[in-house]
Amino acid sequence: MGITERKESDKEVMRKKILNSAMKLFLSEGYDKVSIRKIADAIEYSPATVYLYFKDKTAIFNALQKIAFDKFYDTLAECLKIKDAKKRLDEMGELYMKFAMENPEYYDLMFIMSAPIDREKETCFMDDRAFNLLSGTIEEVFKKKEIKNIDVEAATFLLWGFSHGFASLIIRKRLAMIPDEHLKGLFQKISRMLDKKFFQ
Amino acid sequence: MGITERKESDKEVMRKKILNSAMKLFLSEGYDKVSIRKIADAIEYSPATVYLYFKDKTAIFNALQKIAFDKFYDTLAECLKIKDAKKRLDEMGELYMKFAMENPEYYDLMFIMSAPIDREKETCFMDDRAFNLLSGTIEEVFKKKEIKNIDVEAATFLLWGFSHGFASLIIRKRLAMIPDEHLKGLFQKISRMLDKKFFQ
DNA sequence: TTCAATAAATAAACAGTGTTTAGTAACTAA
DNA sequence: TTAGTTACTAAACACTGTTTATTTATTGAA
């Protein structure tokens, strides 16, 4: 059935067209200021057409969140080329912060934005892949250094929690009065502190 | 000039009436779903009247943020009745989390919500009072325990960063698949861990 | 080739939003 | 009593997400 297949792929092309425009608009204007009409304008179709490909604005949000998580994981996974677990852990912290600072809209999409709570049962918190990458690395460090009195889960949430807290405060401009350079130094200083106390 | 004074105080009464209704609506429905029309309905005036007392919706937001910060500081300041600095620090962590979980809308208002960035120069990040309460207590612990190799600023941002990260992930439902009880235990476990490594 | 069926796209409307304007009604000071 | 000021609002403007009814285009079979 070549025809139904082609139709399916046509539909996929249109979906991607919509997502592409939506993402571009989100990155330049922010989620709230992007309307269905603006997306429709960008792809040169009517607003109603968008609803033939996505149930509502939330569905577009969810599709974009998935794209963001993919990019996020790809960025973090860069650390896998580092063999030494402790050095890899350091690099992950740097990459996490770098990603958040360079892609604040993606970061917002993934971890901050309040998405309408339709989901409830879907597994959409921190991407499983990224989470496992972090906790796996921490476990490796603990094994190597024969650290046994610290819970891997607790250590994972400490590192992620702090990194996310710091990143989200910056993105939502709650540390706007502190110069960027100082914030960067602060993050690195705290990272080193944590490293010294927990991982050696 | 009794008349102009009375007029001023009338104006203040009206402002408070608006803020009261707005806050109630925010707490029950969330910032986005509250419209000027709904606030106007609640106080039984026309929408346009609201604009005689507040420049725009952002101005209402800012006034409410101030109220939230006051309540937040009052909650944290409870810890001041504890004389021992280390115990006081523990209590602050508990109070911080308790406040965030019991007043998610206030917390959102203060630290998460993206307020239109009119401010730029105002000092509206974490309330100075609360921040100083935390960093002051940390300094006291360090002095008492004669810990000199750790930066007070770094330790403050570590504790605040982690607490905020954890709280905001919960509030924005990014840890929705983890039961509340487990999350509470996790926070306490990590707090104890940090305490052991940094403050004794 | 013609024609009914299906799919794709849209114009227009609905119900809502933040905000502004122009005009009314009430109070105040002279 | 009158002129000036203040408080208030009806109505409009320019948007928003979403739905409906309708039109246009494409398809597969007779």
Side-chain angles (χ1 to χ4, degrees):
Chain A
M1 285 291 165
I3 288 167
T4 52
E5 270 171 32
R6 202 218 60 220
K7 287 209 173 174
E8 271 307 304
S9 102
D10 276 7
K11 217 159 178 146
E12 207 39 54
V13 167
M14 189 67 161
R15 279 179 62 88
K16 284 205 173 120
K17 215 168 159 166
I18 292 170
L19 287 177
N20 235 322
S21 290
M23 187 62 103
K24 265 184 203 157
L25 287 167
F26 283 144
L27 293 179
S28 62
E29 304 189 30
Y31 182 84
D32 287 341
K33 285 185 178 169
V34 176
S35 65
I36 302 290
R37 280 172 180 81
K38 280 183 191 166
I39 295 169
D41 271 9
I43 59 170
E44 297 179 302
Y45 281 84
S46 81
T49 299
V50 175
Y51 286 88
L52 299 176
Y53 296 90
F54 292 94
K55 190 182 146 286
D56 51 29
K57 205 186 175 185
T58 306
I60 299 177
F61 170 87
N62 287 331
L64 289 178
Q65 198 183 42
K66 198 190 150 2
I67 292 172
F69 268 125
D70 286 345
K71 191 181 158 85
F72 174 62
Y73 178 72
D74 287 347
T75 302
L76 280 196
E78 273 293 300
C79 76
L80 282 173
K81 67 185 175 198
I82 299 174
K83 287 284 163 283
D84 181 68
K86 218 165 90 47
K87 278 182 187 161
R88 187 159 76 245
L89 191 60
D90 282 354
E91 179 68 2
M92 275 185 83
E94 284 294 312
L95 288 171
Y96 189 100
M97 210 59 189
K98 195 166 178 285
F99 181 88
M101 296 303 101
E102 287 176 3
N103 309 279
E105 299 285 345
Y106 279 13
Y107 194 88
D108 214 308
L109 219 58
M110 294 188 295
F111 297 128
I112 310 179
M113 229 172 244
S114 43
I117 324 147
D118 291 358
R119 8 171 168 165
E120 282 178 347
K121 276 200 170 178
E122 295 177 43
T123 52
C124 49
F125 69 126
M126 186 177 181
D127 196 41
D128 271 7
R129 294 167 295 173
F131 188 85
N132 292 337
L133 193 61
L134 177 59
S135 77
T137 302
I138 290 174
E139 199 173 3
E140 211 181 314
V141 175
F142 282 175
K143 270 207 181 117
K144 209 173 183 180
K145 302 261 174 187
E146 288 181 341
I147 296 166
K148 280 174 182 166
N149 59 333
I150 303 176
D151 195 280
V152 173
E153 188 196 25
T156 306
F157 275 101
L158 170 56
L159 291 198
W160 180 30
F162 165 67
S163 302
H164 168 67
F166 208 75
S168 64
L169 284 169
I170 293 171
I171 287 174
R172 285 301 166 90
K173 310 213 191 298
R174 259 62 171 194
L175 302 177
M177 74 298 305
I178 303 176
D180 282 3
E181 269 313 304
H182 186 71
L183 286 174
K184 204 179 166 185
L186 199 51
F187 180 76
Q188 287 169 342
K189 186 187 274 180
I190 296 170
S191 293
R192 276 197 306 273
M193 252 167 60
L194 284 167
D195 180 68
K196 199 193 269 179
K197 296 284 183 185
F198 288 97
F199 302 103
Q200 54 186 233
Chain B
M1 285 287 166
I3 289 168
T4 53
E5 271 172 34
R6 201 218 58 220
K7 288 209 173 176
E8 271 307 303
S9 102
D10 276 6
K11 220 164 173 139
E12 206 40 54
V13 167
M14 189 67 160
R15 279 179 61 88
K16 284 205 174 122
K17 217 169 158 164
I18 291 169
L19 287 177
N20 235 321
S21 291
M23 187 63 104
K24 265 183 203 156
L25 287 167
F26 283 145
L27 292 180
S28 61
E29 305 189 30
Y31 183 82
D32 287 340
K33 284 184 179 170
V34 177
S35 66
I36 302 289
R37 280 172 180 81
K38 280 182 191 166
I39 295 169
D41 270 9
I43 59 170
E44 296 179 304
Y45 282 84
S46 80
T49 300
V50 175
Y51 286 88
L52 299 175
Y53 297 89
F54 292 94
K55 189 182 146 287
D56 51 27
K57 204 186 175 186
T58 306
I60 299 177
F61 171 87
N62 286 331
L64 288 177
Q65 198 183 41
K66 200 189 148 3
I67 292 173
F69 269 124
D70 287 345
K71 190 180 158 84
F72 175 62
Y73 178 73
D74 287 349
T75 302
L76 280 196
E78 274 293 300
C79 77
L80 283 172
K81 67 185 173 198
I82 300 175
K83 287 283 163 286
D84 180 68
K86 218 165 90 47
K87 278 183 186 160
R88 187 158 76 246
L89 191 59
D90 281 354
E91 179 68 1
M92 276 185 82
E94 285 294 311
L95 289 171
Y96 189 100
M97 210 57 190
K98 195 165 178 288
F99 182 88
M101 296 302 101
E102 286 175 4
N103 310 280
E105 299 284 345
Y106 280 12
Y107 194 88
D108 215 309
L109 220 58
M110 295 188 293
F111 298 129
I112 309 180
M113 229 173 246
S114 42
I117 324 148
D118 290 359
R119 7 171 168 163
E120 282 179 348
K121 275 200 173 178
E122 295 175 44
T123 52
C124 49
F125 70 125
M126 186 177 183
D127 196 40
D128 270 7
R129 294 167 296 174
F131 188 87
N132 292 337
L133 194 60
L134 177 59
S135 77
T137 302
I138 289 174
E139 198 173 2
E140 212 180 313
V141 175
F142 282 176
K143 269 206 181 115
K144 209 172 183 180
K145 303 261 173 186
E146 290 182 338
I147 295 166
K148 279 173 183 168
N149 58 332
I150 302 177
D151 196 280
V152 172
E153 188 197 25
T156 306
F157 275 101
L158 170 57
L159 291 197
W160 180 30
F162 165 68
S163 302
H164 168 68
F166 208 75
S168 64
L169 284 169
I170 292 171
I171 287 173
R172 286 300 166 92
K173 309 213 191 298
R174 258 63 170 195
L175 302 177
M177 73 298 304
I178 302 175
D180 282 3
E181 270 312 305
H182 186 71
L183 285 174
K184 204 180 166 186
L186 198 52
F187 180 75
Q188 287 169 341
K189 186 186 275 182
I190 296 171
S191 293
R192 277 198 305 275
M193 249 168 61
L194 284 168
D195 181 68
K196 198 192 270 179
K197 297 284 183 183
F198 287 98
F199 302 103
Q200 55 185 236

